[in-house]
Amino acid sequence: MPHRTPTPARRPRRPALVALLAALLPLLATLLATAPPAAARAQAPTAQLTEVTGFGSNPSNLQMYLYVPDSVTAHPAVVVAVHYCTGSGPAMYSGTEYASLADEYGFIVVYPSVTRASKCFDVSSPQALRRGGGSDPVGIKSMVDWVTRTYDADPDRIFATGISSGAMMTNVLLGVYPDVFAAGAAFAGVPFGCFATTDGSEWNSACANGTVTHTPQQWGDLVRAAYPGYAGPRPRMQLWHGTADDVLRYPNFGEEVKQWTNVLGVSQTPAATDTPASGWTRTRYGGTGDQAPVEAVSLQGVGHNVYAWGMAARVLTFFGLDGDGPAPEPEPGGCRVTATVNAWNTGLTASLTITNTGTTAVRGWQLGFTLPGGQTITGGWGATYTPATGTVTATNASYNGTIEPGASVSIGYQANHGGNSGAPGAFTLNGAACG
């Protein structure tokens, strides 16, 4: 086709164009000066669970749910809370206390949600077990990136935690993105790479049954192979497992300890061992404080449903996101205890009501008190009691570990007595004297 030259009549008039631009430029400058930044326009409503779409690369079609507290801090930390098989982001939101803790401490919570039929995260495919491999970890990384951009989040305070399938994904995320996550907390999971399959199956029976064992070096090598050549710092890991777990059996707990102590280059011999609650054994590796490189909590007689209300506060302590740890200690006078005793011949029952008179919620508590001479506790409710005589410590049950300001918890016990049926005294709550 021959080239046509526009006729002079159709050419734009330069003086008119200049005049038009001169009129538009002040208007454009005003609009640009008053327009909100892109990030501000994209922010989610606060104090409610919100689904975010279009957050970035998402090869496995995950959904992203977000909780931003009214009190979100400048440059907030981010906690990624990963659900269990058959679960969802909204179920993780309603079934854990991370959102209420976010209200208290000002961080943001991301709840990834699986859309595949099993509602399990991909922790087994070759794609999931390498950096940028094109499966669930890529979508979760995109969620973190979206939050970091939108809220100017602190890139040094990104954390992951999960239950069951989410615990396995926590192991995977820390393996493939060690430069993104500062720490993780896995409840009833398995080591990174333990669930690996090559036939498209999401389930690995050998790993689930606790029969996959490796040396610490071999486990560590699996993690290091996920991001070849990476030589930067590695995220810390907190591990939780019940000894009676019949879904992802208890030997996986020891294998996780072997893996992460090797990855972090610390001894497999605990630097500290204690019992923070009845039936719990906590071991710390590479350090003795609340942010040791590896912390492992074994729960005697507990099955696969290891997560219980109150444990999230201990996760925050490990992450370093709280001020005073899992059991904020009231100042003297921050608690009140009333005791009622009903006695007969050689026995009695005692009812104790613990009231939080402070201004901070107590999450995880131990009530100390002294029995009158000759009394021996033979049973109790609402708490576990040790020892049975003398100075006794009552440790909260899984369902009553939180006492909000102004709220009360009632517990009690049955005891034998040798004539002195008086009430106990000298009450302390988490070491602080009560009124």
Side-chain angles (χ1 to χ4, degrees), residues 145-204:
D145 290 344
W146 186 93
V147 173
T148 302
R149 291 192 306 268
T150 305
Y151 293 91
D152 194 20
D154 185 347
D156 294 326
R157 294 193 300 152
I158 310 294
F159 305 92
T161 185
I163 303 169
S164 189
S165 178
M168 293 192 277
M169 177 52 71
T170 298
N171 277 267
V172 169
L173 290 172
L174 269 60
V176 297
Y177 294 114
D179 54 333
V180 173
F181 294 94
F187 290 83
V190 303
F192 176 98
C194 184
F195 240 61
T197 60
T198 56
D199 59 1
S201 172
E202 295 181 40
W203 189 256
N204 185 319

Side-chain angles (χ1 to χ4, degrees), residues 193-232:
C194 184
F195 240 61
T197 60
T198 56
D199 59 1
S201 172
E202 295 181 40
W203 189 256
N204 185 319
S205 294
C207 178
N209 290 330
T211 62
V212 176
T213 61
H214 293 305
T215 66
Q217 182 68 35
Q218 289 169 332
W219 280 125
D221 286 345
L222 287 175
V223 172
R224 288 181 284 270
Y227 187 4
Y230 177 73

Side-chain angles (χ1 to χ4, degrees), residues 195-268:
F195 240 61
T197 60
T198 56
D199 59 1
S201 172
E202 295 181 40
W203 189 256
N204 185 319
S205 294
C207 178
N209 290 330
T211 62
V212 176
T213 61
H214 293 305
T215 66
Q217 182 68 35
Q218 289 169 332
W219 280 125
D221 286 345
L222 287 175
V223 172
R224 288 181 284 270
Y227 187 4
Y230 177 73
R234 295 279 179 174
R236 297 177 298 108
M237 177 61 95
Q238 184 186 62
L239 305 165
W240 299 72
H241 221 107
T243 62
D245 194 328
D246 59 356
V247 178
L248 301 173
R249 294 189 181 273
Y250 186 67
N252 283 300
F253 179 64
E255 299 302 301
E256 285 179 295
V257 171
K258 286 160 61 176
Q259 182 171 68
W260 290 103
T261 51
N262 180 267
V263 168
L264 287 156
V266 299
S267 172
Q268 281 189 271

Side-chain angles (χ1 to χ4, degrees), residues 239-314:
L239 305 165
W240 299 72
H241 221 107
T243 62
D245 194 328
D246 59 356
V247 178
L248 301 173
R249 294 189 181 273
Y250 186 67
N252 283 300
F253 179 64
E255 299 302 301
E256 285 179 295
V257 171
K258 286 160 61 176
Q259 182 171 68
W260 290 103
T261 51
N262 180 267
V263 168
L264 287 156
V266 299
S267 172
Q268 281 189 271
T269 300
T273 302
D274 65 354
T275 305
S278 178
W280 296 17
T281 300
R282 178 171 61 187
T283 48
R284 287 169 167 167
Y285 304 84
T288 60
D290 288 336
Q291 284 89 52
V294 178
E295 180 174 280
V297 185
S298 172
L299 288 81
Q300 182 64 39
V302 176
H304 188 60
N305 295 327
V306 66
Y307 180 86
W309 212 258
M311 291 179 177
R314 296 181 182 270

Side-chain angles (χ1 to χ4, degrees), residues 35-93:
R41 293 197 305 269
Q43 288 185 353
T46 59
Q48 66 184 63
L49 188 67
T50 304
E51 183 175 4
V52 176
T53 59
F55 50 83
S57 178
N58 185 22
S60 54
N61 196 33
L62 299 178
Q63 291 175 288
M64 174 184 175
Y65 292 90
L66 188 71
Y67 183 82
V68 181
D70 285 332
S71 58
V72 63
T73 61
H75 311 299
V78 180
V79 174
V80 180
V82 194
H83 68 73
Y84 42 88
C85 281
T86 74
S88 66
M92 193 71 174
Y93 163 75

